[in-house]
Amino acid sequence: MEIKRVYTFGNGKAEGKADMKNLLGGKGANLAEMNLIGVPVPPGFTITTEVCNEYYAIGKEQVVSWLQEDVKKAVEHIETLMKSTLGSVENPLLVSVRSGARASMPGMMDTILNLGLNDEVVEGLARKTGNARFAWDSYRRFVQMYGDVVLGMKPVNKNDIDPFEEIIEEVKNAKGVKLDNELEVEDLKQLVGKFKSAVKKQTGQDFPTDAYEQLWGAIYAVFDSWMNERAILYRKMEGIPAEWGTAVNVQAMVFGNMGDTSATGVCFSRDAATGEDLFIGEYLINAQGEDVVAGIRTPQQITKIGSQRWATLANVSEEDRKTNYPSMEESMPEIYLELDALQTKLENHYKDMQDMEFTVQDGKLWFLQTRSGKRTGAAMVKIANDMLSQGMIDEKTAILRIDANKLDELLHPVFDKDALKKAKVIAKGLAASPGAASGKIVFNADDAAEWASKGEKVIMVRIETSPEDLAGMAAAEGILTARGGMTSHAAVVARGMGKCCVSGAGALKIDYAGKTLEVDGLTLKEGDFISLNGSTGDIFEGRVATKEAEVDSDFDAIMTLADKYTKMTVRTNADTPNDAGTARKFGAKGIGLCRTEHMFFEGEKIKAMREMILAGNAEGRRVALAKIQPYQQADFEGIFEAMAGLPVTVRLLDPPLHEFVPHDEKGQKEMAEAMHVDVKVIKQRVDALHEQNPMLGHRGARLGNTYPEITEMQTRAILGAALNLKKKGVTAIPEIMVPLTGILYEFLEQEKIIRTTASQLFKERGDSIEFKVGTMIEIPRAALTADRIASAAEFFSFGTNDLTQMTFGYSRDDIASFLPIYLEKKILKFDPFQVLDQNGVGQLVRMATEKGRTIRPDLKCGICGEHGGEPSSVKFCHKVGLNYVSCSPFRVPIARIAAAQAAIEG
Amino acid sequence: MEIKRVYTFGNGKAEGKADMKNLLGGKGANLAEMNLIGVPVPPGFTITTEVCNEYYAIGKEQVVSWLQEDVKKAVEHIETLMKSTLGSVENPLLVSVRSGARASMPGMMDTILNLGLNDEVVEGLARKTGNARFAWDSYRRFVQMYGDVVLGMKPVNKNDIDPFEEIIEEVKNAKGVKLDNELEVEDLKQLVGKFKSAVKKQTGQDFPTDAYEQLWGAIYAVFDSWMNERAILYRKMEGIPAEWGTAVNVQAMVFGNMGDTSATGVCFSRDAATGEDLFIGEYLINAQGEDVVAGIRTPQQITKIGSQRWATLANVSEEDRKTNYPSMEESMPEIYLELDALQTKLENHYKDMQDMEFTVQDGKLWFLQTRSGKRTGAAMVKIANDMLSQGMIDEKTAILRIDANKLDELLHPVFDKDALKKAKVIAKGLAASPGAASGKIVFNADDAAEWASKGEKVIMVRIETSPEDLAGMAAAEGILTARGGMTSHAAVVARGMGKCCVSGAGALKIDYAGKTLEVDGLTLKEGDFISLNGSTGDIFEGRVATKEAEVDSDFDAIMTLADKYTKMTVRTNADTPNDAGTARKFGAKGIGLCRTEHMFFEGEKIKAMREMILAGNAEGRRVALAKIQPYQQADFEGIFEAMAGLPVTVRLLDPPLHEFVPHDEKGQKEMAEAMHVDVKVIKQRVDALHEQNPMLGHRGARLGNTYPEITEMQTRAILGAALNLKKKGVTAIPEIMVPLTGILYEFLEQEKIIRTTASQLFKERGDSIEFKVGTMIEIPRAALTADRIASAAEFFSFGTNDLTQMTFGYSRDDIASFLPIYLEKKILKFDPFQVLDQNGVGQLVRMATEKGRTIRPDLKCGICGEHGGEPSSVKFCHKVGLNYVSCSPFRVPIARIAAAQAAIEG
């Protein structure tokens, strides 16, 4: 039994096949597959992953002796099909060499192109293509790539620049040019010479001229890269065994710049912008792939219909079009027919819209690459639905085809495309809440409300926002802040409102007093127009036209389909009847987080709240709280009514009290007058409430346990509201949630107050209602001791915002000082406030769920942090066994899709 | 096989014995044991824990029918021995009833005394004792206790006061007296009557007059209390099975106030103050136990030698003494001999110094209680050593006898006892750093340093301290702050210096400008004397004399013994050669935490540090840091030299940069002048460094990864110092520690910088040295992903201060707003910054150690938080398998003892 070490492919045949991924690697198996379904890809061969293991187990020499014959034969196989010869000057075959493990893996050798060139062959290539610059540039690139990857030409000192780049700089400086493409043939020749000298000097070796020597060097380099430091570290992190090994793929190079019977292009099997089922693409005759993208020549359309559409938009006459910009359908009708047939075949085979690259060399069509095509949100939904009704894919696949995050595009206003082209970006912030908005700048909430009431569209610009800004935020078209991250107050509230927000735009210098905004030398005043793209973080000067979002029947169809497969419920985070209504329209099945702090702010409420804060004892606090209660009860009635028949989780007061008092002199004076006390008293109390780290301070259950009166009042308001609705025949399902529990006894104290207050209330009213008492799990200790806490709590809701803050030790308000650098250095792969950190924070979520259910098997667990609307996090929640996720109203559809996908995948 | 349900004891006999704790409960087994070794305890009987189970399984009636006969016989057994009868008027026997589970358990019924009294018996008791007031007061107490515990006389509404206390208040008010003991016989009679009416009114029952009815009621109450809410909750928390059950102990009451052949007293088998091996104690003839304690009559000494010593101190002549204050040895010689023999027997039996209570009733000696006696730190050490050399205990026992925390008394100055009696406490704060200190008040660090340099003893009084106060703290005798907890800056630094500190004394109003301190109406000025007790938190007005600590040979002997058994190493947290030297004298085996931030503060260093902070780029920062490096290197040389041959873990810069810049206008102006820039620039930079939650901000590894220059400089300083010492023949063992790691890649980045810098330095110097690179584990995420981090880190050091902050979500600077209430309400059993929270924070420590060692089995793990010097935490560290604990120099002996105890216990 001879071991087969080399698998060839080409000309519609292949020795391997699609399911041999373990042996041939992902890339090798795919190349075999494309051949077998009849797609013409440049021929080549794959050296198996088992050879990689032999290479390390038995040693290079032995393995090479085994391979020698096979590789030679496989190269001849390519030569036969390509009618050219490796190393030949007259008719040179060039090849590429790539690594290819089961899964793509950072740290490994990537690609060497144009292998086979030397000082003679390059001249042959120049003659054959009639393009000396192309030939020498190809050679220059090959020497550079090969020198770096195979011959180990690295900088001598870590901080030096790459030795080849250093030479390029030298040559460009000598010539006085700036760009690589300004170099001419003679310069390129000079470069090659200098590159080779550098190789000789640093490595002591001559650059190999023999094509086979080049090829073997590249093959060794692939195998060697399997054991380099970065690859080992990556495998260790991802738990990939070293025994998997990597394959080596060697493939013929083809060229679209061999004359007028050659061409190159890219195409899509459907329209990536609209989703329309129409073949579309661009090509250029006698060109390289780079030329299509580079924009030096205007690429032409592949189909006639596409070409005509283009001409209309570009204002080109049909005559002019036919003559100067003919479609491929018209200029190369036979190749076009083959291309069209093959694109259909590929879409049918991969059952998804394909993005393909092809080259025509001397009248022969080659496919270089095919992959699922990127598309807009609208196209994504339409294509999934179309393919489902065309019978190409089943329902589950249709759902899996949705990139949940892209749904956002369909749910918020966007900028008009043409208007956007003319708009000038003046700065960038975080894409805090999606959508597009345009309006006049105002610098505070009062102005925002006032201007909006006069019919002006305004953008509220703040250094950062606080609960006092709520009314202004509601009135504005969009919100822009200079400080704060993805979970800053501005960002969280804006997402809840479905309102466009760009946060943390650090480049802005905002002057409240002067009512100006300065950025990079430009000064904008109050009343000047500004525009925000909350989906990208872009900030534009002036007015940019927007258009409204519209969800269509395709969207509805996909959402309905999702609910058929989903296992988790999707709730919403909503604090007002309005938000609750919006979320319900988007399919929310209850409220997972109703924050009550906003209910303390307006008019009389804040006055009473401040009275409470000022009171010296429980009695005084009770008197003040009694004034707030009716307002709060009315708020709850509205919310319960909007969510009639569905559960509503109400979180007891969470933020530290200092958020409710004025910190500026003017506000303190007003408060003093309203309270009939000296302003000194106010100042003292405000100072006493100051905290070094308010995030870790006197808040949440700590408030309720030091001021039990607050919990009493809120319990009365919640259950009183529910009782009132019961009388009207409306079913309220309240779930009372204790925030910031860290210790079982903390919860027990709060639960006792809630249940005692409830009993008293039910007795007074002669009526009662079912309710649950549960807790947020947002303190690491709560997760660690979840079994104890579950002995009393009836449900858990993971507050992953705070849990992330404490698990990482990051203040979301201060993270801007290092987060960008951490993301850039890849210390963090993503912002953990946007995407749940499954290894750390997720571990606590899983642990708490499991521990909690050992004590209370039917414990209802959900998530109400910002992650509840982020697809990968939603999927994690499904995997961990949560019962529901809760997110801001406008992310409910996203969560529904992600939840359905999780159920299907999992 | 009849089941035995009732076990009697008395008169040197007992049906049970010491090892029947499961059946008889702890108390019952102990009472049996005392009888069997011949100690006369009042006779009685124990109903077994199995009966408790029967009570719940089979039901009260059935169980009572089984018990009826046994209990009757057991009561008769008591009556015979006590020559009195339950319910008899002429010669009444009174009994006590107590619960007694295997372990003492909160929530259960405690004690009912004087059972057997009714309106007739009380008169008999009055006649027999000739003390009507005593008889009626006993009766009043019995009715009150029985009414509460057995008849369930609780307040009707939760917030009402106890119904009996309400009646007492009424009677006292009517009589116009304030104290209970001002009530006369008639008043007490009136009370009893009113108590009974109240019982009748609230429960509908008459108060039982029959002694047996009373007895059965009390027995039921004990069993019922086993299933009350608090007891169930406690068992649930502690994992105690309900099947353990509780026993019931019924025991004869004895009275020391039956005339001149009766007496009562307390005694110790050795001197609890000095540890001297001398029998010692006090007694009173014809008195109750209360009288000895109450201080109304002067108690007399038990031994003649004790009596004579007392007379000398009290300035009483030998004549006067013999006549009016004779010792028991002289006044009751026979009883004395029996007592002396028995105390020796008890000490020999329990092998520890005993604290005993006894009563002589009609010439017969009864022991009421014996337990290990409380003692001073000095006595504790001396007794352990003495008993070891007397052969009473072995080495391990001697070590286990040390209450590690009490060693503190031996290591710090204390107040002179007599001076203390006259001192006036004006406020109380937290006992932040032990010792006693007296000095003149100063309000800032500069004054402290200046006054001290003139030979003044000063106490530095601050609202809170910051690193800028270091020099002042070093110069002061003690530190007093109005804000901040046990791990505030002041507390941590003071403990490190072994300096007395009282922190967080919230009652103080400090006025820096006016240089005054106001508390409770009293105003103290700069220069006024004040005194602090850092071991209790007491603050005294004026000067209180102190005396120096002195450790003796007993202390040395115990410490040497401890090292024989210990498994963990004890290191110290030290930032200066001086601290390192102190710790080494106390037995530290290296430095576990050398903080480097203090090294940036003095003179030129802070100037260069500020230059660095102001620099706009890495190059500017490097220039500034180069100025600091020689200073820092010199600091490290000093520390390494003091710890020559022992490992020194150096933590890289940890605090946020804003701690290094001035926040006041004056400071900013000075900085601007020194830096030659506009003060606006300084202000802007300081503002930019401001953070909402600095604790969770830009610090630790986040600094090193955004400003790698700092890590480079510190690495050069540390390893440069080690190389310099190597030349001098001194061995430095540096361990470089990355602070605040939360992500593996964060550590990898730092490690790369450190190792690259080290290679460069070693190359430059042509010499090298061994060193380790490890990390703090102080972020919950680091603990959760410790396996990943251990793939790169060579050691872990648990920073349990920060880990506690983040695991609980508590800012130690802000905890004062709720911690006292949490402790009072028992939501927290202890301050988690003092005692390691084993359930939560400890779970992370254990998890990280275990996970880390799955990847790196020999991973060195230690703890360097404040908990490293707290005995229960040290024991936990041993259990988890840490290699060392590290604590402030003055707690090293405490940690050494705790570590040895853990090894012996474990």
Side-chain angles (χ1 to χ4, degrees), chain A residues 702 746 822 825 837 843, chain B residues 705 746 781 809 822 851:
Chain A
R702 298 162 202 173
E746 224 170 7
Y822 267 37
K825 288 194 176 177
D837 160 51
Q843 191 180 144
Chain B
N705 277 327
E746 222 169 9
R781 194 180 187 281
Y822 268 37
K851 283 191 171 188

Side-chain angles (χ1 to χ4, degrees), chain B residues 33 71 137 147 167 187 404 432 498 519 531-532 621 635 650 734:
Chain B
E33 187 179 13
V71 167
D137 196 44
I167 295 169
D187 307 321
V519 55
S531 302
L532 307 178
R621 285 192 290 271
D635 285 336
V650 180

